[in-house]
């Protein structure tokens, strides 16, 4: 077969395929046309019958009106349900935010108390208190005070934002800090900074079994912090109890270590 | 595939808090470094998808660490989030200029960190 014959044969096959497709499409069109014709005839019959018999017309109208009323009722119910679901959704979203916040607060409190009780070294405990006040509360200027048992005086032992020597000592029951510690009540003023070191903006007494052992006094917050949140108050409460216990335990441990060493020294002297 | 995140922070309290927050991400491995030098050693010796870096740290500060990471051909693409107490605009600008991708000021919220990390990792 020559090349030209092959080309003609291919074109014929293409044409036949196209023709078959066209025939198939025409058959489908005819079928659809038939279906629509019979549908139209049925509707026309019903309309003519309704036109001939007014009671049929009324019946048809009644049926349609009833259907419309049903649909409208269904629509109202669906709309009400939608409103209800939207309300529930927004309540869930609000609850989710609250749970997230609660979760965050609990994580802060857990981590703080975990860290405070992770050591029996007094310097380490004081360092952890300082870390919590800087990183979690957001204080820029503050001092941690311990009570000198003999003189009933609050002495600063750690600080941030200024030299330690700049922070004044305080007598128990005297001045803002002394009074707050003597009364075992945390005090918090809604201000961001105090330049007067005798007027801290926050006083947190550190209390063990109703006995004050020290205090945290905050004098200024970080620039990006514009006030105290609920979490800050929770942290102050936590520090008031847990930091005090941690300091108390660390002091007891160090005393017992010293005593143990002394006793060990005596035993060594007697036995060697 | 999971993500590896490096936390460079000198405060153990903050590190624990960040680990707590980041564990809520799916399939994440968290490595901690306690100062800038430790962070540099860790970031240079292994692959990380993101680094959270504090600014004020002993031995080597966060800004120095960021500049070293951005200056290293192999590390320069790691997304960096700064978490610091330094809230002044000039501190923020300096860190961003050095190549930090995000700058968060302490005290931080866990969901704030999570949202930033998710965005940078394009993670769930």
């Amino acid at each position: 077969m020559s090349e030209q014959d092959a080309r003609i044969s291919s074109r014929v096959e293409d044409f036949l395929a196209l023709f078959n497709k066209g025939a198939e499409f025409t058959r489908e069109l005819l079928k659809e046309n038939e279906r629509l014709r019979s549908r139209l005839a049925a509707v026309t019959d019903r309309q003519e019958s309704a036109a001939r018999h007014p009671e049929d017309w009324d019946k048809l109208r009644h049926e349609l009106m009833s259907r419309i009323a049903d649909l409208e009722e269904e629509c109202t119910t669906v709309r009400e349900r939608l409103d209800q679901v939207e309300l529930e959704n927004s309540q869930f979203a609000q609850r989710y935010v609250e749970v997230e916040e609660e979760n965050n607060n609990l994580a802060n409190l857990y981590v703080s108390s975990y860290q405070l009780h992770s050591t029996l070294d007094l310097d380490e405990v004081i360092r952890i208190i300082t870390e919590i006040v800087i990183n979690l509360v957001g204080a820029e200027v503050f001092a941690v005070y311990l009570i000198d048992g003999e003189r009933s005086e609050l002495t600063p032992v750690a600080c941030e934002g200024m030299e330690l020597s700049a922070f004044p000592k305080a007598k128990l029951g005297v001045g803002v800090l002394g009074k707050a510690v003597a009364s075992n009540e945390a005090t918090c003023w809604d201000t961001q900074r105090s330049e007067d070191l005798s007027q801290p903006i926050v006083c947190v007494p550190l209390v063990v079994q109703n006995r004050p052992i020290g205090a945290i006094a905050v004098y200024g917050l970080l620039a990006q912090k514009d006030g105290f949140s609920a979490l800050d108050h929770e942290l102050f409460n936590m520090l008031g109890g847990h930091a005090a216990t941690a300091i108390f335990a660390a002091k007891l441990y160090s005393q017992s270590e010293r005593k143990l060493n002394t006793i060990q020294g005596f035993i060594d002297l007697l036995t060697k | 595939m999971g993500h590896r995140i490096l936390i460079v922070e000198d405060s153990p309290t903050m590190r624990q808090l960040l680990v707590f927050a980041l564990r809520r991400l799916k399939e994440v491995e968290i490595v901690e470094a306690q100062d800038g030098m430790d962070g540099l050693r860790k970031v240079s010796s292994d692959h990380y998808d993101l680094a959270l870096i504090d600014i004020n740290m002993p031995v080597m500060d966060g800004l120095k660490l960021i500049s070293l990471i951005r200056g290293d051909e192999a590390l320069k693409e790691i997304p960096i989030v700064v978490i610091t107490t330094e809230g002044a605009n000039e501190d923020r600008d300096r860190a961003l200029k050095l190549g930090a991708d995000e700058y968060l000021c302490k005290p931080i919220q866990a969901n704030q960190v999570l949202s930033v990390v998710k965005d940078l990792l394009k993670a769930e």
Side-chain angles (χ1 to χ4, degrees), chain A residues 39-97:
Chain A
R39 189 90 193 269
L40 181 67
V43 171
T44 314
D45 279 356
R46 195 144 185 222
Q47 272 189 345
E48 280 173 359
S49 156
R52 277 196 301 273
H53 307 287
E55 61 275 17
D56 280 1
W57 185 251
D58 281 348
K59 196 177 161 195
L60 184 65
R61 199 172 141 271
H62 183 73
E63 271 174 22
L64 286 172
M65 292 303 282
S66 157
R67 182 83 187 115
I68 289 169
D70 286 350
L71 286 171
E72 273 179 351
E73 199 181 316
E74 199 180 322
C75 181
T76 311
T77 314
V78 170
R79 273 179 199 278
E80 279 170 6
R81 184 78 193 110
L82 182 70
D83 288 347
Q84 204 179 340
V85 169
E86 272 179 355
L87 184 70
E88 274 173 17
N89 199 19
S90 89
Q91 282 168 346
F92 279 129
Q94 175 67 26
R95 188 80 195 105
Y96 178 78
V97 170

Side-chain angles (χ1 to χ4, degrees), chain A residues 126-146:
Chain A
I126 300 287
R127 190 186 58 73
I128 292 167
I129 295 172
T130 311
E131 262 184 28
I132 293 169
V133 180
I134 296 172
N135 293 307
L136 273 56
V137 175
E140 189 177 30
V141 186
F142 67 91
V144 180
Y145 289 82
L146 289 183

Side-chain angles (χ1 to χ4, degrees), chain A:
Chain A
M1 191 188 290
S2 70
E3 197 181 314
Q4 194 178 2
D5 290 345
R7 214 166 39 233
I8 290 169
S9 165
S10 159
R11 287 190 68 184
V12 166
E13 275 169 21
D14 286 350
F15 176 77
L16 271 174
L18 197 69
F19 182 80
N20 283 336
K21 263 189 193 169
E24 181 65 25
F25 184 62
T26 310
R27 267 197 295 277
E28 276 175 20
L29 272 180
L30 285 170
K31 216 186 275 177
E32 181 67 11
N33 194 14
E34 192 57 37
R35 195 181 66 78
L36 287 172
R37 260 177 208 283
S38 71
R39 189 90 193 269
L40 181 67
V43 171
T44 314
D45 279 356
R46 195 144 185 222
Q47 272 189 345
E48 280 173 359
S49 156
R52 277 196 301 273
H53 307 287
E55 61 275 17
D56 280 1
W57 185 251
D58 281 348
K59 196 177 161 195
L60 184 65
R61 199 172 141 271
H62 183 73
E63 271 174 22
L64 286 172
M65 292 303 282
S66 157
R67 182 83 187 115
I68 289 169
D70 286 350
L71 286 171
E72 273 179 351
E73 199 181 316
E74 199 180 322
C75 181
T76 311
T77 314
V78 170
R79 273 179 199 278
E80 279 170 6
R81 184 78 193 110
L82 182 70
D83 288 347
Q84 204 179 340
V85 169
E86 272 179 355
L87 184 70
E88 274 173 17
N89 199 19
S90 89
Q91 282 168 346
F92 279 129
Q94 175 67 26
R95 188 80 195 105
Y96 178 78
V97 170
E98 285 168 10
V99 170
E100 274 279 299
E101 199 180 319
E102 192 69 27
N103 194 17
N104 181 49
N105 293 356
L106 287 173
N108 276 272
L109 292 169
Y110 169 76
V111 168
S112 304
S113 58
Y114 178 92
Q115 290 290 333
L116 281 171
H117 297 295
S118 65
T119 178
L120 283 170
D121 180 82
L122 183 60
D123 291 339
E124 184 73 2
V125 172
I126 300 287
R127 190 186 58 73
I128 292 167
I129 295 172
T130 311
E131 262 184 28
I132 293 169
V133 180
I134 296 172
N135 293 307
L136 273 56
V137 175
E140 189 177 30
V141 186
F142 67 91
V144 180
Y145 289 82
L146 289 183
I147 291 180
D148 180 336
E150 288 164 12
R151 282 182 285 182
S152 296
E153 197 173 55
L154 287 155
T155 310
V157 292
C159 69
E160 188 68 29
M162 292 174 100
E163 289 293 317
L164 191 63
S165 55
F167 293 93
K169 291 182 178 181
K171 281 255 175 226
L172 274 186
V174 180
V176 174
L177 183 61
K179 280 180 184 161
V181 175
S183 65
N184 278 355
E185 273 182 27
T187 47
C188 181
W189 285 268
D190 197 13
T191 173
Q192 218 196 1
R193 187 167 290 269
S194 164
E195 300 303 333
D196 181 358
L197 292 182
S198 64
Q199 293 279 338
I201 59 171
V202 175
C203 299
V204 182
L206 305 177
V207 182
V208 179
Q209 287 188 323
N210 286 328
R211 216 183 83 206
I213 63 153
I216 298 167
V218 179
Y219 300 89
L221 300 177
L222 292 168
Q224 63 268 25
K225 194 168 165 78
D226 50 13
F228 294 105
S229 63
L231 173 63
D232 295 331
H233 293 289
E234 292 286 346
L235 282 168
F236 293 146
N237 282 339
M238 188 277 301
L239 283 168
H242 287 252
T245 317
I247 290 172
F248 192 74
K251 277 184 167 178
L252 276 183
Y253 182 73
S254 128
Q255 282 167 10
S256 68
E257 279 282 286
R258 269 205 306 274
K259 278 182 185 161
L260 187 68
N261 287 339
T262 313
I263 292 166
Q264 189 65 53
F266 271 123
I267 291 169
D268 287 349
L269 266 177
L270 292 171
T271 55
K272 282 177 188 170

Side-chain angles (χ1 to χ4, degrees), chain B residues 63-91:
Chain B
L63 293 176
K64 177 78 181 160
L65 176 60
I66 294 170
S67 64
L68 288 172
I69 290 174
R70 288 295 180 243
D72 187 317
E73 205 50 43
L75 306 174
K76 67 179 185 184
E77 299 299 329
I78 298 175
I80 294 174
V81 180
V82 171
I83 297 180
T84 178
T85 50
E86 308 299 329
N89 283 337
E90 51 268 34
D91 294 314

Side-chain angles (χ1 to χ4, degrees), chain B residues 1-65:
Chain B
M1 198 178 131
H3 295 290
R4 281 172 61 83
I5 298 176
L6 177 66
I7 298 172
V8 190
E9 163 71 73
D10 61 323
S11 156
T13 313
M14 272 309 292
R15 286 205 302 269
Q16 195 182 6
L17 202 61
L18 289 169
V19 169
F20 243 77
L22 295 173
R23 272 199 195 138
R24 286 160 66 184
L25 289 171
K26 284 180 189 164
E27 292 177 24
V28 67
E29 188 186 338
I30 303 158
V31 176
E32 299 174 42
Q34 58 191 11
D35 57 56
M37 188 57 85
D38 189 21
L40 184 64
R41 259 195 305 272
K42 283 178 174 154
V43 81
S44 310
S45 62
D46 217 331
H47 166 79
Y48 290 95
D49 298 295
L50 187 136
L52 298 171
I53 300 176
D54 184 20
I55 297 285
N56 297 321
M57 287 185 290
V59 190
M60 182 195 289
D61 70 32
L63 293 176
K64 177 78 181 160
L65 176 60

